[in-house]
Amino acid sequence: MSRSLRAVRGMNDIFLDEAETWEQFESLIRDWLKSYGYRPIRTPIVEPTPLFKRAIGEVTDIVEKEMYSFEDALNGEHLTLRPECTASCVRAVMQHSLLHSGPKRLYYHGPMFRHERPQKGRYRQFHQIGAEALGFDGPDIDAELILMCARLWDDLGLEDVRLELNSLGSAEERAAHRASLIEYFEARKDQLDEDASRRLYTNPLRILDTKNPDMQALVEAAPRLDAFLGEDSRAHFDGVQQILKDAGVPYRINPRLVRGLDYYNRTVFEWVTDQLGAQGTVCAGGRYDGLIEQLGGKPAPAAGFAMGVERLLALWQASGGEAEREVPDVYVVHQGELADRMAFGVAEGLRTQGFSAILHCGGGSFKAQMKKADASGAACAVIIGDDEAQAGEVTLKPLRDGGEQQRVAADALADVLADLLFAVEDDDGSV
Ligand code: ATP
Ligand code: MG
């Protein structure tokens, strides 16, 4: 296949067994979110570029170098494939005045796009599941968002996921901290790398997030934000921690946790694991009380998180998690003019009765068709030759547990099949 026609680098096709794993995972996730009262929101994949610039911040990795932005060739609009979904949720909530009727718990799920260097756990199209709780200002909702993640790790059987927690304080407290950071780094300009020098006046907080080993000592000794937290911010942070302690969810306070997006304040958190190499953060979130106002809306508090589906699935599989293979109840094998015509009705009739059935298409010998039936994983084959067709009967052959094959009247097939499948489950002890 010509190189130019292959999928874009860092963007994956997901199919068959893996896609079924995704679907089972998504359905588990939906049930989990609903059990906390979160309701779905679906927003467009493309948004106006200024939305992300204003929400995420001009001096962030995402806006500076990761966005897929383009000009609409037809009308010149500046558009961007969404790199995350919080900005879109906030836009939608504002545009449709969703908070008029009170606070909202929302969740989304879908592809996000970032132009990063593809590697394990890091892709250019990846998927996030996120929850956003808008209109709530107390520490209770921050704690709820964290506790619900802890429950999901439990449900998935993940053991090695740790919680890191920090408070970024209020906008004013951050401003005071920022001023002292600038002063500190200004006095040590010769030790700053290129990224840090560039961010000194635009986003000094991000310097703390540096991965450059040569700057670790410098950053370690920099003024700490917690020294600038006022009474309200402290009380809020204490409130979150108290609920976590009551629930028995362990955490570590990481004063270096600042998050790569500008909109966060007060509580921020990440769930991290050692099992995924460098891409160890599976879920990240926090409070973003200023974002709605920053985008021109009536001020309202909010908090949320986003988790990376590819990373979570990798972790789930590494911990022995496995999706069930989805197999049909029946594979319908048929040969002969009369049998071919009858087979359609038989397969449709089974589906009407709630069974799943694959109808063999494309002809071939009985032997070849039976091979396909076996490979499909179906519990039974329904075999129709002209002989059966003339008698208004079919042959029912169990494929998995060695049961006897039997001739059955076509109109009794659903009942016999139900007995057989339930009986099989009884033997398993699974019913
Ligand atoms: P990182 O530090 O790994 O780049 P981030 O801070 O940019 O992460 P967020 O914007 O907070 O990530 O996104 C939330 C989650 O989405 C991440 O914790 C991660 O699990 C997932 N994620 C982010 N970027 C990618 C990507 N390029 N590929 C796969 N998953 C990603
Ligand atoms: Mg990133």
Side-chain angles (χ1 to χ4, degrees):
M1 177 177 187
S2 140
R3 273 237 147 253
S4 60
L5 297 184
R6 296 174 72 91
V8 176
R9 193 162 115 80
M11 303 199 181
N12 300 316
D13 297 313
I14 302 163
F15 45 86
L16 300 176
D17 286 359
E18 200 192 345
E20 277 170 2
T21 302
W22 276 66
E23 289 198 347
Q24 287 175 27
F25 183 75
E26 284 155 7
S27 114
L28 188 141
I29 292 280
R30 254 191 290 277
D31 291 346
W32 159 71
L33 286 159
K34 287 185 174 161
S35 77
Y36 283 82
Y38 285 74
R39 300 180 64 197
I41 180 166
R42 295 178 186 228
T43 59
I45 282 173
V46 179
E47 296 272 7
T49 302
L51 174 68
F52 299 117
K53 287 195 172 170
R54 275 181 54 192
I56 299 170
E58 296 267 5
V59 193
T60 54
D61 283 350
I62 294 181
V63 171
E64 275 183 337
K65 48 193 184 200
E66 296 174 359
M67 293 210 298
Y68 282 93
S69 298
F70 57 98
E71 210 177 297
D72 186 320
L74 297 179
N75 62 11
E77 273 184 289
H78 294 277
L79 303 177
T80 292
L81 297 183
R82 62 182 187 196
E84 55 104 60
C85 204
T86 301
S88 309
C89 287
V90 167
R91 180 203 47 70
V93 161
M94 287 166 53
Q95 191 173 332
H96 307 289
S97 307
L98 293 185
L99 296 183
H100 273 188
S101 52
K104 293 281 171 297
R105 286 177 167 92
L106 303 174
Y107 75 84
Y108 60 81
H109 172 216
M112 309 294 155
F113 303 85
R114 297 185 193 176
H115 200 281
E116 304 195 67
R117 193 170 69 79
Q119 52 199 290
K120 188 166 166 275
R122 192 176 295 284
Y123 309 99
R124 291 182 172 170
Q125 176 174 327
F126 62 100
H127 296 74
Q128 285 184 339
I129 289 165
E132 311 288 355
L134 302 114
F136 300 90
D137 61 5
D140 48 1
I141 203 81
D142 307 21
E144 176 182 277
L145 286 161
I146 293 171
L147 291 184
M148 59 196 278
C149 293
R151 173 180 293 278
L152 181 64
W153 315 147
D154 252 20
D155 289 354
L156 292 172
L158 309 181
E159 277 167 10
D160 177 38
V161 195
R162 299 185 312 275
L163 174 60
E164 306 232 316
L165 197 62
N166 193 20
S167 172
L168 300 182
S170 67
E172 296 73 40
E173 290 151 10
R174 289 174 73 178
H177 175 236
R178 184 178 190 275
S180 88
L181 270 184
I182 293 180
E183 204 179 309
Y184 171 84
F185 285 125
E186 246 178 353
R188 292 158 185 84
K189 258 189 181 151
D190 51 324
Q191 302 174 45
L192 299 182
D193 65 11
E194 202 189 310
D195 262 355
S197 307
R198 194 163 38 80
R199 287 171 168 168
L200 176 56
Y201 298 104
T202 47
N203 198 346
L205 197 66
R206 289 285 284 142
I207 300 179
L208 301 181
D209 211 16
T210 181
K211 298 197 166 86
N212 182 349
D214 295 341
M215 280 181 46
Q216 294 308 314
L218 179 71
V219 157
E220 210 63 64
R224 280 170 58 155
L225 177 59
D226 49 0
F228 291 81
L229 294 190
E231 211 173 297
D232 287 354
S233 293
R234 275 180 205 288
H236 187 98
F237 198 34
D238 288 345
V240 176
Q241 292 179 59
Q242 190 58 53
I243 301 173
L244 297 183
K245 282 181 193 144
D246 289 347
V249 172
Y251 58 88
R252 180 176 86 95
I253 294 188
N254 176 359
R256 299 271 302 276
L257 184 64
V258 293
R259 307 288 303 114
L261 300 83
D262 269 1
Y263 50 60
Y264 287 108
N265 69 308
R266 289 200 167 163
T267 321
V268 289
F269 61 88
E270 287 192 359
W271 289 95
V272 294
T273 176
D274 294 326
Q275 300 203 7
L276 297 177
Q279 271 57 252
T281 306
V282 289
C283 174
R287 184 160 275 286
Y288 53 93
D289 295 328
L291 182 57
I292 298 181
E293 188 178 16
Q294 192 180 310
L295 295 178
K298 195 169 143 238
F305 63 69
M307 43 184 71
V309 177
E310 285 81 357
R311 292 186 196 177
L312 260 183
L313 279 173
L315 186 59
W316 186 45
Q317 278 160 348
S319 336
E322 213 180 323
E324 267 173 49
R325 183 175 171 204
E326 288 165 28
V327 292
D329 297 319
V330 162
Y331 192 101
V332 182
V333 166
H334 52 97
Q335 200 187 43
E337 204 187 321
L338 204 55
D340 293 347
R341 285 168 57 198
M342 180 176 163
F344 266 92
V346 168
E348 280 300 321
L350 286 173
R351 294 174 192 127
T352 304
Q353 299 293 326
F355 296 99
S356 54
I358 297 182
L359 174 67
H360 181 84
C361 286
S365 68
F366 270 124
K367 194 165 163 224
Q369 292 190 35
M370 284 305 289
K371 263 197 178 156
K372 291 255 161 65
D374 204 41
S376 76
C380 298
V382 165
I383 304 160
I384 312 172
D386 274 345
D387 193 26
E388 281 95 341
Q390 248 143 25
E393 293 179 347
V394 304
T395 296
L396 180 60
K397 181 176 163 61
L399 294 174
R400 305 296 141 198
D401 295 290
E404 288 293 300
Q405 72 174 48
Q406 52 181 313
R407 285 274 285 245
V408 183
D411 52 11
L413 176 61
D415 286 342
V416 178
L417 192 59
D419 283 349
L420 197 78
L421 293 183
F422 287 135
V424 167
E425 284 179 14
D426 269 344
D427 287 349
D428 278 357
S430 56
V431 163

